[in-house]
Amino acid sequence: MVIMATTSSLTYLPVLERIAEEVDRTPGRGRPADYIPALAACDPRRFGMAVAELDGTVYGVGDWRQPFSTQSITKVFTLALDLAREGDELWEHVSREPSGNPFNSLVQLEYENGIPRNPFINAGALVVTDRLQTRTGDAAGELLTFLRAESGNPELDFDREVAASEATHGDRNAALGHFMASYGNIDNPVPVLLDQYFRQCSVAASCADLALATTFLARHGIRADGTRLLTRSQAKQVNAVMLTCGTYDAAGDFAYRVGLPGKSGVGGGIIAVVPGRCTLCVWSPGLDERGNSVAGVAALDGFTTLTGLSVF
Amino acid sequence: MVIMATTSSLTYLPVLERIAEEVDRTPGRGRPADYIPALAACDPRRFGMAVAELDGTVYGVGDWRQPFSTQSITKVFTLALDLAREGDELWEHVSREPSGNPFNSLVQLEYENGIPRNPFINAGALVVTDRLQTRTGDAAGELLTFLRAESGNPELDFDREVAASEATHGDRNAALGHFMASYGNIDNPVPVLLDQYFRQCSVAASCADLALATTFLARHGIRADGTRLLTRSQAKQVNAVMLTCGTYDAAGDFAYRVGLPGKSGVGGGIIAVVPGRCTLCVWSPGLDERGNSVAGVAALDGFTTLTGLSVF
Amino acid sequence: MVIMATTSSLTYLPVLERIAEEVDRTPGRGRPADYIPALAACDPRRFGMAVAELDGTVYGVGDWRQPFSTQSITKVFTLALDLAREGDELWEHVSREPSGNPFNSLVQLEYENGIPRNPFINAGALVVTDRLQTRTGDAAGELLTFLRAESGNPELDFDREVAASEATHGDRNAALGHFMASYGNIDNPVPVLLDQYFRQCSVAASCADLALATTFLARHGIRADGTRLLTRSQAKQVNAVMLTCGTYDAAGDFAYRVGLPGKSGVGGGIIAVVPGRCTLCVWSPGLDERGNSVAGVAALDGFTTLTGLSVF
Amino acid sequence: MVIMATTSSLTYLPVLERIAEEVDRTPGRGRPADYIPALAACDPRRFGMAVAELDGTVYGVGDWRQPFSTQSITKVFTLALDLAREGDELWEHVSREPSGNPFNSLVQLEYENGIPRNPFINAGALVVTDRLQTRTGDAAGELLTFLRAESGNPELDFDREVAASEATHGDRNAALGHFMASYGNIDNPVPVLLDQYFRQCSVAASCADLALATTFLARHGIRADGTRLLTRSQAKQVNAVMLTCGTYDAAGDFAYRVGLPGKSGVGGGIIAVVPGRCTLCVWSPGLDERGNSVAGVAALDGFTTLTGLSVF
């Protein structure tokens, strides 16, 4: 069941194996997201977990090489790509405070005049995508290029069926887009923005791919090819936003249990960063009522408990 | 300044004249709506007021024959036209409770799962338009036909410039439409719905036209040609919804000061009903901070004070 | 079952009898309020209804002479007593807009800096009581004196057991009092205010008593002894506030169905005013989910349908 | 200006000196809290900062030995003292999620049925105090004993004038207490609870005292005398709650800029933890609009920038 990628990666493998066994024994695993068919069809018994070290070594257990729908996980990469381009100006258009409300809420957006609480709620991610689109002309393409480069996987791609399905069920995001546009906080036409956004959400990638693509955050901003994407300070800042805002309305609980910067998606994936050490990606499609993978959170909880690698 | 339409209409003319003089002496008149150019350009010193009696006699003072942008006033007619067709089923898709929030608020809509509080906030009017569109295939056309027939004015029409302007500034209404669509409470494609909605808002009509078009509510449901649009009970109900919800977030204050069912628009017009007696329409483009015509509310307040014609 | 008070009162008696028969045939009647034992013990099958004419004639059906817990109905009288004393200054401390939220909500209070939406939600009634207390030194005593005089019933009194029970379960009202005090909108010490308030809520009175006590609102401000409590304008205003705010979160529905100014209490009573004609009081302890008497609303709906006496 | 406590503490002293110089050069420092006279009288030019190492060495710059009003900082210690006694049961009565609203908000409390969002907003701290009071009979006394022991300062004490002043301006906290009591989430009588709470807020302590009193969180739960207060896991959890919820509505910004678990008070103090390394306490009475010390946040920002000691 375990596949070792390199000999140097022995350190955490027994930990991953023990976690996989533990997960395997656990009955309830939540329910897959059901708002689009492609997600609803996922088997909640699937489970994979990967660790990527700073040198690019990656290894894992279970379905760690199986591509799944990344969904909101890509918000981290879009944020980094835009932050690298425009720097702190971004924060005039999106805040970086945790949201006390569910991830789609329009309430806070209205009380705060169209400025989303943070870049990881849908409204905030739309703003970040809009800004990256303005700067690059192809936000989704930039994302894809980046993910392929960092993961070393040239076959990583959008899932066109998922993107089309998101568009069909996209009224809430359309509402968010138009609502922020009414406050002057969206530059591109809303349909263009939504197309870019849904393509980003549709990226299919494996735990291995995502753990590797996240390593620049554990390396304080340095990409796989040794070039710098973010300053040391910006990398720290992205980690901070992940920790306080990365898991919808459960950020406090995630920090409490796991104690690592992390970002989840409704496809059942979660990425996490141990700054200066390694990155993790776990996948299991069954979600809790707050939209986070049940087995995924449990696995990360187990990892920090067994290794003592929490930031706290 | 006063134009009499018939000899039988002498009753309230001295009252209207006295009100017009009073208004003329009052300095502050609020500011015209400024979200679209056509409204912003209006002179807040304009003032007109008309009374229509049950027999179709109409008379007025000031600019009572001057067409202005009806805006939300047409929501009353759209409601009546849809209610006449589908009856109480409508109330499963829109409530009839006053809104404690400003007229564009998305907050209550979210807490109440996409069911707007009442047919006179924008969200509720979108739902009514959507349903009338489904039943007629041309909601705006139905409205126009009705208004022309009741007012006896075949030249009453949409203002295409205003409709285009509304569309250009339509992000909030687009957000409302998509948001309710995400709850399954909109049948038609949102762009189709918005086109119908903005055309309705754009109708240009005079105080005389609107006072006449409203008389079916004073005649307990009977149209100008003697046919019945609404049952006696439905006409009473529309009046009740006007009294509790007709003036945005100021319905309580309007009931307190004026004591009549009324409906205002951001074009500066207000219609009001004295059940079994007559209807009123007043126009002056300057608005208070809650979106109601300053001179218009004062004029109606004066009318009920001078005549004792409040429903209370 | 029917008791006639005077020969002149024959007009509406057949209507009341027909309503009582209809109510008798209706199965579901809601559930009594259960937050204090005295209310929870009420039999939801009880039903009484009275009409009082302008000359003080009163008659009714069913349990129309049976005292019940008036609860929020007394808020109307406290409002009138304070308004008579301080006039429009009151409206700087409490608004007169319908509340879009349930009757105990703290949300709107916070957004509006401690100014309650209207005098009939608990927060607003606390403000009115506080102000009447400041002006009289004994707000509850003033209320009792007034109710005895208008009803002609010297035995009408507080129910000390109910008042004590309210105090025991008074944390929400204590929270409201302290919260408004933090905004400087309460003059008296909160414990003093609560004592006055709970005593007012505890008044026990019959349909006959309350219909008579309400007649000053149908007589445009004139009390039973011919003296004036409110100006004509103030009486109209109190009626307007009842219509827009008198039945918790169901004011729109009540206006739509009944079409009269009314005020309900969780004891199952409702008073209503036909301006210039008569007053009504109905009682049945079973409540709907919004706190209004199920049979009470149905009976008033029947009354206006059968008599055509709606204000609309 | 700098006082060294031990020779081993040389490491961070130059850093503190540089920060103090930087602060000294910075003009705007915010305004002291003004809701009670004792705080309003503080000079916003005051500044002190201390570091405590794991072995109990403490040193600092500026007014680091000057007692100030700790206010909300003591919420951390009360949380730890109660968590040590009752463990995870506490989390059934208070959540551990960031609050999207200002620190006194009643809104979220109402939407979440009397369960506060986290132990560091006032409502949550009242719940924790209430529970510690139930378990010890003297919550404030427990706190004082703990703070004296950990700081080694037997003169550390309540400020009776401040406590009395808080009580005089205590209507908001009284409202919170009664409101939660109405949901059954408070065990003790509200006046008893408030007395305990206001005494805790009134504790006067210096940067040196507080840095030392916080070291158990850097030592993974071990007190100054070598005994264990919290399990390793609980200490990590308290740090996580501090990071996500410790600075009112600015937790995201604090994590972004400082990147350490921290807790601020409106007296102008902030404590922070570098897990496994040291603790910090900074004091300067001028606050920003979110209630955090302007110079305090800047000093901590400088510290993590200069030392690279962020958890990210």
Short mmCIF file of all heavy atoms in Angstrom, two decimals, chain C residues 101 104-107 110-111 170-172 174-179 181-183 190, chain D residues 101 104-107 110-111 170-172 174-179 181-183 190:
data_model
loop_
_atom_site.label_atom_id
_atom_site.label_comp_id
_atom_site.label_asym_id
_atom_site.label_seq_id
_atom_site.Cartn_x
_atom_site.Cartn_y
_atom_site.Cartn_z
N ASN C 101 -37.42 41.16 12.64
CA ASN C 101 -36.91 40.03 13.40
C ASN C 101 -37.86 39.63 14.52
O ASN C 101 -38.73 40.39 14.89
CB ASN C 101 -35.55 40.40 14.01
CG ASN C 101 -34.48 40.49 12.96
OD1 ASN C 101 -34.22 39.55 12.24
ND2 ASN C 101 -33.87 41.67 12.84
N ASN C 104 -37.96 39.27 20.41
CA ASN C 104 -36.99 39.52 21.46
C ASN C 104 -35.61 39.89 20.92
O ASN C 104 -34.66 40.04 21.67
CB ASN C 104 -36.82 38.27 22.34
CG ASN C 104 -37.77 38.31 23.51
OD1 ASN C 104 -37.94 39.34 24.13
ND2 ASN C 104 -38.37 37.18 23.81
N SER C 105 -35.50 40.03 19.61
CA SER C 105 -34.18 40.13 18.99
C SER C 105 -33.33 41.30 19.49
O SER C 105 -33.77 42.43 19.61
CB SER C 105 -34.34 40.27 17.48
OG SER C 105 -33.07 40.44 16.91
N LEU C 106 -32.09 40.99 19.75
CA LEU C 106 -31.12 42.01 20.14
C LEU C 106 -30.35 42.54 18.94
O LEU C 106 -29.63 43.52 19.05
CB LEU C 106 -30.12 41.42 21.13
CG LEU C 106 -30.61 41.27 22.58
CD1 LEU C 106 -29.81 40.21 23.29
CD2 LEU C 106 -30.48 42.60 23.30
N VAL C 107 -30.51 41.87 17.83
CA VAL C 107 -29.69 42.21 16.67
C VAL C 107 -29.94 43.65 16.21
O VAL C 107 -29.03 44.48 16.16
CB VAL C 107 -29.95 41.24 15.51
CG1 VAL C 107 -29.16 41.65 14.28
CG2 VAL C 107 -29.58 39.83 15.92
N GLU C 110 -28.78 46.37 18.42
CA GLU C 110 -27.36 46.68 18.38
C GLU C 110 -27.03 47.53 17.16
O GLU C 110 -26.30 48.51 17.25
CB GLU C 110 -26.55 45.39 18.37
CG GLU C 110 -25.06 45.65 18.41
CD GLU C 110 -24.29 44.40 18.81
OE1 GLU C 110 -24.76 43.29 18.50
OE2 GLU C 110 -23.22 44.54 19.45
N TYR C 111 -27.62 47.17 16.01
CA TYR C 111 -27.31 47.92 14.80
C TYR C 111 -27.87 49.34 14.87
O TYR C 111 -27.44 50.21 14.15
CB TYR C 111 -27.86 47.21 13.57
CG TYR C 111 -27.02 46.02 13.19
CD1 TYR C 111 -27.56 44.76 13.10
CD2 TYR C 111 -25.64 46.17 12.98
CE1 TYR C 111 -26.78 43.66 12.78
CE2 TYR C 111 -24.85 45.08 12.67
CZ TYR C 111 -25.43 43.83 12.57
OH TYR C 111 -24.64 42.75 12.27
N GLY C 170 -36.82 36.17 33.76
CA GLY C 170 -36.66 37.49 33.18
C GLY C 170 -35.29 37.82 32.61
O GLY C 170 -35.00 38.99 32.35
N ASP C 171 -34.43 36.82 32.42
CA ASP C 171 -33.05 37.14 31.99
C ASP C 171 -32.99 37.87 30.65
O ASP C 171 -32.15 38.73 30.45
CB ASP C 171 -32.21 35.86 31.93
CG ASP C 171 -31.60 35.53 33.28
OD1 ASP C 171 -31.02 36.43 33.91
OD2 ASP C 171 -31.71 34.37 33.71
N ARG C 172 -33.88 37.51 29.72
CA ARG C 172 -33.84 38.17 28.41
C ARG C 172 -34.20 39.64 28.53
O ARG C 172 -33.57 40.50 27.93
CB ARG C 172 -34.84 37.51 27.46
CG ARG C 172 -34.23 36.33 26.77
CD ARG C 172 -34.62 36.38 25.29
NE ARG C 172 -33.74 35.47 24.58
CZ ARG C 172 -33.40 35.61 23.33
NH1 ARG C 172 -33.86 36.63 22.62
NH2 ARG C 172 -32.60 34.77 22.76
N ALA C 174 -33.94 41.40 31.25
CA ALA C 174 -32.84 42.04 31.98
C ALA C 174 -31.70 42.37 31.01
O ALA C 174 -31.10 43.45 31.08
CB ALA C 174 -32.34 41.12 33.10
N ALA C 175 -31.42 41.44 30.10
CA ALA C 175 -30.37 41.69 29.11
C ALA C 175 -30.73 42.90 28.25
O ALA C 175 -29.90 43.78 28.02
CB ALA C 175 -30.17 40.45 28.23
N LEU C 176 -31.98 42.96 27.80
CA LEU C 176 -32.43 44.11 26.99
C LEU C 176 -32.28 45.41 27.77
O LEU C 176 -31.80 46.42 27.24
CB LEU C 176 -33.89 43.92 26.58
CG LEU C 176 -34.19 42.85 25.53
CD1 LEU C 176 -35.69 42.61 25.42
CD2 LEU C 176 -33.62 43.26 24.17
N GLY C 177 -32.72 45.40 29.03
CA GLY C 177 -32.65 46.61 29.85
C GLY C 177 -31.21 47.09 30.02
O GLY C 177 -30.90 48.26 29.80
N HIS C 178 -30.33 46.17 30.41
CA HIS C 178 -28.92 46.56 30.59
C HIS C 178 -28.29 47.00 29.27
O HIS C 178 -27.46 47.91 29.23
CB HIS C 178 -28.12 45.40 31.19
CG HIS C 178 -28.34 45.22 32.65
ND1 HIS C 178 -27.89 46.13 33.59
CD2 HIS C 178 -28.96 44.24 33.36
CE1 HIS C 178 -28.22 45.71 34.81
NE2 HIS C 178 -28.87 44.57 34.69
N PHE C 179 -28.67 46.32 28.20
CA PHE C 179 -28.09 46.65 26.90
C PHE C 179 -28.46 48.07 26.49
O PHE C 179 -27.60 48.86 26.07
CB PHE C 179 -28.59 45.64 25.87
CG PHE C 179 -27.87 45.69 24.56
CD1 PHE C 179 -26.49 45.55 24.51
CD2 PHE C 179 -28.56 45.87 23.38
CE1 PHE C 179 -25.82 45.58 23.29
CE2 PHE C 179 -27.90 45.92 22.17
CZ PHE C 179 -26.53 45.77 22.12
N ALA C 181 -29.44 50.39 28.54
CA ALA C 181 -28.81 51.28 29.52
C ALA C 181 -27.38 51.60 29.10
O ALA C 181 -26.88 52.71 29.30
CB ALA C 181 -28.84 50.66 30.91
N SER C 182 -26.70 50.62 28.47
CA SER C 182 -25.32 50.85 28.04
C SER C 182 -25.26 51.91 26.93
O SER C 182 -24.22 52.50 26.69
CB SER C 182 -24.66 49.55 27.57
OG SER C 182 -25.08 49.19 26.27
N TYR C 183 -26.38 52.14 26.26
CA TYR C 183 -26.45 53.20 25.26
C TYR C 183 -27.06 54.48 25.83
O TYR C 183 -27.33 55.42 25.09
CB TYR C 183 -27.31 52.76 24.07
CG TYR C 183 -26.66 51.75 23.15
CD1 TYR C 183 -26.98 50.41 23.21
CD2 TYR C 183 -25.69 52.16 22.23
CE1 TYR C 183 -26.39 49.49 22.36
CE2 TYR C 183 -25.09 51.25 21.38
CZ TYR C 183 -25.44 49.91 21.45
OH TYR C 183 -24.85 49.00 20.62
N VAL C 190 -32.18 49.30 36.29
CA VAL C 190 -32.79 48.19 35.56
C VAL C 190 -33.69 47.33 36.45
O VAL C 190 -34.80 46.96 36.03
CB VAL C 190 -31.70 47.36 34.82
CG1 VAL C 190 -32.30 46.11 34.20
CG2 VAL C 190 -31.04 48.22 33.74
N ASN D 101 -17.16 39.64 14.35
CA ASN D 101 -17.75 40.90 14.78
C ASN D 101 -16.95 41.53 15.92
O ASN D 101 -16.18 40.87 16.57
CB ASN D 101 -19.19 40.66 15.23
CG ASN D 101 -20.10 40.33 14.06
OD1 ASN D 101 -20.22 41.10 13.14
ND2 ASN D 101 -20.69 39.15 14.09
N ASN D 104 -17.71 43.08 21.57
CA ASN D 104 -18.85 43.06 22.49
C ASN D 104 -20.14 42.58 21.83
O ASN D 104 -21.20 42.57 22.44
CB ASN D 104 -19.11 44.47 23.03
CG ASN D 104 -18.36 44.70 24.33
OD1 ASN D 104 -18.28 43.82 25.16
ND2 ASN D 104 -17.81 45.89 24.47
N SER D 105 -20.07 42.15 20.58
CA SER D 105 -21.28 41.90 19.80
C SER D 105 -22.20 40.84 20.40
O SER D 105 -21.80 39.77 20.81
CB SER D 105 -20.91 41.46 18.40
OG SER D 105 -22.07 41.13 17.69
N LEU D 106 -23.48 41.20 20.41
CA LEU D 106 -24.51 40.25 20.85
C LEU D 106 -25.10 39.48 19.68
O LEU D 106 -25.83 38.52 19.86
CB LEU D 106 -25.63 41.02 21.54
CG LEU D 106 -25.36 41.46 22.98
CD1 LEU D 106 -26.24 42.63 23.35
CD2 LEU D 106 -25.61 40.31 23.93
N VAL D 107 -24.75 39.90 18.47
CA VAL D 107 -25.40 39.33 17.31
C VAL D 107 -25.11 37.83 17.18
O VAL D 107 -26.00 36.99 17.16
CB VAL D 107 -24.95 40.05 16.03
CG1 VAL D 107 -25.55 39.40 14.80
CG2 VAL D 107 -25.36 41.52 16.09
N GLU D 110 -26.65 35.56 19.69
CA GLU D 110 -28.05 35.23 19.50
C GLU D 110 -28.21 34.15 18.43
O GLU D 110 -28.96 33.21 18.61
CB GLU D 110 -28.82 36.49 19.10
CG GLU D 110 -30.31 36.24 18.98
CD GLU D 110 -31.09 37.54 19.01
OE1 GLU D 110 -30.57 38.57 18.56
OE2 GLU D 110 -32.23 37.51 19.50
N TYR D 111 -27.45 34.30 17.34
CA TYR D 111 -27.57 33.30 16.27
C TYR D 111 -27.06 31.93 16.71
O TYR D 111 -27.40 30.93 16.11
CB TYR D 111 -26.84 33.76 15.01
CG TYR D 111 -27.58 34.85 14.29
CD1 TYR D 111 -26.99 36.07 14.01
CD2 TYR D 111 -28.91 34.66 13.91
CE1 TYR D 111 -27.69 37.08 13.37
CE2 TYR D 111 -29.61 35.67 13.28
CZ TYR D 111 -29.00 36.86 13.01
OH TYR D 111 -29.71 37.86 12.39
N GLY D 170 -20.84 48.78 33.68
CA GLY D 170 -20.92 47.37 33.36
C GLY D 170 -22.19 46.91 32.67
O GLY D 170 -22.45 45.71 32.62
N ASP D 171 -23.00 47.83 32.15
CA ASP D 171 -24.30 47.41 31.59
C ASP D 171 -24.17 46.42 30.43
O ASP D 171 -24.98 45.51 30.29
CB ASP D 171 -25.11 48.64 31.16
CG ASP D 171 -25.92 49.23 32.30
OD1 ASP D 171 -26.60 48.45 33.00
OD2 ASP D 171 -25.86 50.45 32.50
N ARG D 172 -23.16 46.60 29.59
CA ARG D 172 -23.00 45.68 28.45
C ARG D 172 -22.68 44.27 28.93
O ARG D 172 -23.23 43.29 28.43
CB ARG D 172 -21.86 46.15 27.55
CG ARG D 172 -22.30 47.18 26.58
CD ARG D 172 -21.76 46.81 25.19
NE ARG D 172 -22.51 47.53 24.20
CZ ARG D 172 -22.64 47.16 22.96
NH1 ARG D 172 -22.05 46.06 22.53
NH2 ARG D 172 -23.35 47.86 22.12
N ALA D 174 -23.38 43.10 31.88
CA ALA D 174 -24.59 42.61 32.56
C ALA D 174 -25.57 42.07 31.51
O ALA D 174 -26.19 41.01 31.71
CB ALA D 174 -25.24 43.73 33.36
N ALA D 175 -25.71 42.79 30.40
CA ALA D 175 -26.60 42.33 29.32
C ALA D 175 -26.13 40.98 28.80
O ALA D 175 -26.93 40.05 28.63
CB ALA D 175 -26.65 43.35 28.19
N LEU D 176 -24.82 40.85 28.56
CA LEU D 176 -24.28 39.57 28.07
C LEU D 176 -24.56 38.45 29.07
O LEU D 176 -24.96 37.36 28.68
CB LEU D 176 -22.76 39.69 27.86
CG LEU D 176 -22.29 40.54 26.68
CD1 LEU D 176 -20.79 40.75 26.75
CD2 LEU D 176 -22.66 39.86 25.36
N GLY D 177 -24.33 38.73 30.35
CA GLY D 177 -24.54 37.71 31.37
C GLY D 177 -26.00 37.25 31.43
O GLY D 177 -26.29 36.05 31.40
N HIS D 178 -26.93 38.21 31.48
CA HIS D 178 -28.34 37.84 31.53
C HIS D 178 -28.77 37.15 30.24
O HIS D 178 -29.58 36.23 30.26
CB HIS D 178 -29.19 39.10 31.75
CG HIS D 178 -29.20 39.57 33.17
ND1 HIS D 178 -29.79 38.86 34.19
CD2 HIS D 178 -28.67 40.68 33.76
CE1 HIS D 178 -29.65 39.52 35.34
NE2 HIS D 178 -28.96 40.63 35.10
N PHE D 179 -28.22 37.59 29.12
CA PHE D 179 -28.60 37.01 27.85
C PHE D 179 -28.20 35.53 27.79
O PHE D 179 -29.00 34.67 27.41
CB PHE D 179 -27.93 37.79 26.72
CG PHE D 179 -28.45 37.46 25.35
CD1 PHE D 179 -29.79 37.58 25.05
CD2 PHE D 179 -27.58 37.05 24.35
CE1 PHE D 179 -30.27 37.29 23.77
CE2 PHE D 179 -28.06 36.75 23.09
CZ PHE D 179 -29.40 36.87 22.80
N ALA D 181 -27.58 33.69 30.39
CA ALA D 181 -28.37 33.00 31.42
C ALA D 181 -29.73 32.59 30.87
O ALA D 181 -30.27 31.53 31.22
CB ALA D 181 -28.54 33.91 32.64
N SER D 182 -30.29 33.42 29.96
CA SER D 182 -31.59 33.07 29.38
C SER D 182 -31.50 31.82 28.53
O SER D 182 -32.51 31.17 28.25
CB SER D 182 -32.15 34.25 28.58
OG SER D 182 -31.52 34.35 27.31
N TYR D 183 -30.30 31.47 28.08
CA TYR D 183 -30.09 30.23 27.33
C TYR D 183 -29.61 29.09 28.25
O TYR D 183 -29.25 28.03 27.77
CB TYR D 183 -29.05 30.44 26.22
CG TYR D 183 -29.55 31.24 25.05
CD1 TYR D 183 -29.21 32.57 24.89
CD2 TYR D 183 -30.36 30.64 24.08
CE1 TYR D 183 -29.65 33.30 23.79
CE2 TYR D 183 -30.80 31.37 22.99
CZ TYR D 183 -30.45 32.69 22.84
OH TYR D 183 -30.89 33.41 21.77
N VAL D 190 -26.02 36.38 38.08
CA VAL D 190 -25.29 37.32 37.24
C VAL D 190 -24.51 38.36 38.07
O VAL D 190 -23.35 38.64 37.75
CB VAL D 190 -26.23 37.97 36.19
CG1 VAL D 190 -25.52 39.08 35.42
CG2 VAL D 190 -26.73 36.90 35.21
#
